[in-house]
């Protein structure tokens, strides 16, 4: 079985765009590989300086993935900060790449283009991500297209190390989740937490209803297109056609139907999520860290010997 690894930054509440665009396809993909799911808490530290928020976000992202259906007995779910080999290997890669090379990375370039000052962590971000991936002889890295360049950086780091010290790291391949639909938000634009147009994934029925009722509709049209666009994710074309024909012009009825369909999808996941305790997540992450560390520490022993610090 090939090995898959991906990282998730612990940031905020998920919406149904995240579910259809990332969570659901990822849960499916994770069944085909030996899967490692890493919560990238040290990457989050490049932008977040709020301990209580970081703790909450870490707990949330763990629960979200378990509730969405990740098989925790098969997949290894762990926190980056629990496996110190990641930051150790990142340092070694940083000594192999040049400053101009890292200056080309999007995360850094975008920050500077906005006139902001990047911290050194953000600058070195791609080398920590390279370490995340390469420590585990990862074959496949599923990421959004915004992360493609970072996987290229990981391949580059592997090549530089192998050239300098002999064959050690496998060059990973990205798997861009391209064919998933862009889920529109309540205003018809891409659903995104930065646009405030989201429908929460683990919200209560009332919160879902409130978001659905706020979907922008054009009072001249027979069919509310933004309602339909979201509805199309939940029902097949035929049954959707029937529903919208039977309720021509009745926007309230169609929105009510959409609330019910979202609720039918979300309720079982929400119940599962509510039943998960923080202690269960702590145990799961401790177990994940132990399984990850077995591989990471063996790899680091080999690396230390190759670079000449083992005497
Ligand atoms: P946001 O735009 O809300 O900040 P993120 O950028 O954190 O979302 O995205 C997290 C994941 O969810 C990514 O893999 C992204 O491709 C996916 N995603 C986010 N919004 C949507 C959407 N509207 N439709 C489909 N996928 C989405
Ligand atoms: N940088 C990724 C993001 O912001 C998260 C991440 C960290 C990651 N390490 C990784 C993704 C390793 C894939 C593999 O989304």
């Amino acid at each position: 079985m090939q090995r898959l690894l991906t990282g998730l930054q612990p940031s905020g509440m998920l919406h149904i765009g995240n579910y259809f665009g990332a969570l659901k396809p990822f849960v499916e993909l994770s069944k085909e590989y030996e899967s490692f799911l890493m919560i990238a808490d040290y990457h989050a530290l490049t932008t977040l300086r709020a301990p209580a928020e970081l703790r909450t976000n870490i707990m949330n992202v763990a629960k979200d993935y378990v509730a969405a259906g990740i098989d925790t007995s098969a997949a290894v779910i762990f926190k980056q900060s629990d496996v110190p080999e990641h930051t150790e290997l990142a340092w070694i890669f940083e000594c192999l790449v040049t400053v101009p090379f890292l200056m080309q990375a999007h995360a850094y370039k975008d920050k500077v283009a906005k006139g902001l000052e990047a911290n050194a962590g953000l600058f070195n971000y791609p080398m920590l991500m390279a370490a995340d991936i390469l420590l585990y002889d990862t074959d496949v890295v599923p990421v959004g297209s915004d992360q493609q360049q970072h996987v290229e950086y990981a391949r580059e780091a592997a090549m530089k190390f192998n050239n300098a010290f002999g064959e050690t790291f496998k060059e990973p391949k990205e798997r861009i989740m391209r064919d998933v639909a862009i889920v529109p938000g309540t205003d018809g634009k891409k659903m995104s937490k930065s646009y405030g147009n989201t429908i929460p994934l683990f919200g209560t029925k009332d919160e879902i209803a409130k978001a659905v009722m706020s979907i922008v509709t054009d009072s001249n049209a027979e069919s509310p297109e933004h309602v339909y666009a979201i509805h199309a994710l939940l029902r097949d074309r035929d049954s959707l056609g029937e529903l919208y024909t039977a309720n021509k012009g009745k926007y309230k009825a169609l929105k009510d139907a959409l609330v019910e369909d979202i609720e039918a999808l979300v309720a079982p996941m929400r119940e599962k999520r509510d039943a998960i305790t923080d202690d269960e997540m702590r145990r799961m992450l401790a177990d994940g860290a132990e399984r990850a560390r077995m591989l990471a520490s063996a790899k680091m022993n080999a690396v230390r010997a190759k670079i000449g610090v083992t005497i």
Side-chain angles (χ1 to χ4, degrees):
M1 220 180 193
Q2 288 209 317
R3 190 169 287 158
L4 170 156
L5 180 140
T6 197
L8 309 156
Q9 290 222 32
S11 62
M13 299 281 282
L14 297 180
H15 50 72
I16 64 170
N18 298 136
Y19 177 72
F20 287 103
L23 222 53
K24 187 172 178 237
F26 180 72
V27 170
E28 290 309 312
L29 194 65
S30 73
K31 295 174 187 160
E32 296 166 29
Y33 293 89
E34 182 190 358
S35 293
F36 286 72
L37 190 55
M38 184 195 74
I39 301 176
D41 48 3
Y42 275 156
H43 274 117
L45 201 60
T46 62
T47 51
L48 194 63
R49 214 161 289 169
E53 193 179 331
L54 186 54
R55 268 193 292 273
T56 308
N57 288 351
I58 292 169
M59 199 53 99
N60 279 337
V61 72
K63 289 183 180 177
D64 291 343
Y65 272 76
V66 173
I70 289 285
D71 176 0
T72 53
S73 62
V76 178
I77 308 184
F78 71 103
K79 262 173 30 214
Q80 190 176 36
S81 61
D82 280 338
V83 186
E85 284 82 357
H86 289 240
T87 44
E88 185 180 355
L89 183 57
W91 172 258
I92 295 168
F93 288 151
E94 282 154 26
C95 295
L96 286 172
V97 297
T98 66
V99 169
F101 174 68
L102 288 177
M103 281 171 77
Q104 299 307 315
H106 294 316
Y108 172 74
K109 254 170 72 175
D110 292 351
K111 190 95 175 184
V112 173
K114 284 185 196 145
L116 300 169
E117 206 167 43
N119 59 52
L122 187 73
F123 186 68
N124 290 322
Y125 180 126
M127 293 301 102
L128 179 56
M129 183 156 158
D132 299 338
I133 296 168
L134 299 176
L135 266 177
Y136 300 94
D137 293 323
T138 303
D139 297 293
V140 181
V141 185
V143 281
S145 51
D146 61 318
Q147 295 293 323
Q148 178 161 15
Q149 189 203 29
H150 291 150
V151 184
E152 286 161 14
Y153 270 68
R155 276 199 293 273
E156 197 74 28
M159 223 166 64
K160 289 224 159 76
F161 188 100
N162 292 347
N163 285 340
F165 301 110
E167 200 60 29
T168 309
F169 293 110
K170 198 170 194 169
E171 288 186 31
K173 284 204 171 50
E174 62 272 39
R175 170 142 172 186
I176 308 299
M177 310 286 237
R178 229 191 280 277
D179 45 354
V180 295
I182 298 289
V183 177
T186 52
D187 55 359
K189 284 194 291 197
K190 175 185 182 273
M191 188 179 289
S192 170
K193 60 178 172 285
S194 29
Y195 302 152
N197 62 355
T198 62
I199 301 175
L201 177 61
F202 294 109
T204 61
K205 190 171 179 185
D206 283 350
E207 285 163 345
I208 292 168
K210 191 162 168 244
V212 169
M213 293 311 152
S214 78
I215 297 176
V216 179
T217 49
D218 170 0
S219 54
N220 296 319
E222 282 191 347
S223 171
E225 64 169 327
H226 300 330
V227 182
Y228 186 95
I230 298 172
H231 223 153
L233 298 160
L234 298 151
R235 277 201 200 208
D236 63 54
R237 283 265 291 277
D238 289 350
S239 93
L240 209 57
E242 272 173 41
L243 180 73
Y244 279 70
T245 310
N247 290 284
K248 230 178 223 165
K250 295 183 197 153
Y251 294 180
K252 176 71 172 54
L254 290 168
K255 284 183 170 180
D256 284 340
L258 177 58
V259 172
E260 290 308 323
D261 285 347
I262 295 175
E263 177 66 9
L265 168 79
V266 163
M269 287 194 278
R270 187 175 59 218
E271 276 163 32
K272 188 165 169 189
R273 194 182 187 288
D274 289 346
I276 303 171
T277 64
D278 289 3
D279 275 339
E280 263 178 272
M281 290 297 93
R282 290 190 187 100
R283 280 197 296 275
M284 177 190 78
L285 291 172
D287 174 60
E290 200 178 311
R291 286 157 77 191
R293 250 197 125 170
M294 268 188 330
L295 295 171
S297 67
K299 194 75 179 179
M300 273 316 294
N301 283 339
V303 168
R304 288 191 211 98
K306 291 209 178 187
I307 63 175
V309 295
T310 310
I311 53 169

